[in-house]
Amino acid sequence: MTDDPVLPIYLGDVVRLRRTHPCGGGTWLVDRLGADIGLRCETCGRHVLLERRTLERRLDAFVTRGDPALSEAVNGGTAE
């Protein structure tokens, strides 16, 4: 286990990963939080689950940020 700080990821974040999706899409919507992060391709609608650690490694940039209050309400007080 590492002591790296956890990157805050919120529901509704739109992220760009280092590689594009095979459909050609480059942006992903975060629609599930937890140990696995759910991402939906904004071009074709495909849904994938990535481990949080894998997502943090592949993340290139945040296109837009989601609402921390929404994430906290859905996850019962844990916004990360």
Side-chain angles (χ1 to χ4, degrees):
M1 184 161 248
T2 64
D3 292 328
D4 294 335
V6 176
L7 180 68
I9 300 172
Y10 306 118
L11 286 175
D13 280 352
V14 177
V15 297
R16 185 178 316 115
L17 302 181
R18 292 181 189 217
R19 294 189 311 181
T20 59
H21 190 244
C23 75
T27 56
W28 296 82
L29 174 70
V30 175
D31 65 358
R32 181 183 186 275
L33 295 176
D36 292 327
I37 307 295
L39 300 173
R40 185 163 307 278
C41 177
E42 291 200 312
T43 303
C44 69
R46 178 77 168 195
H47 188 263
V48 297
L49 289 175
L50 288 178
E51 292 180 358
R52 178 179 289 272
R53 183 175 230 157
T54 304
L55 175 64
E56 289 180 3
R57 212 172 27 246
R58 294 183 183 177
L59 184 68
D60 186 40
F62 287 99
V63 177
T64 60
R65 293 304 307 244
D67 185 13
L70 175 65
S71 298
E72 191 172 321
V74 171
N75 288 330
T78 57
E80 273 106 9

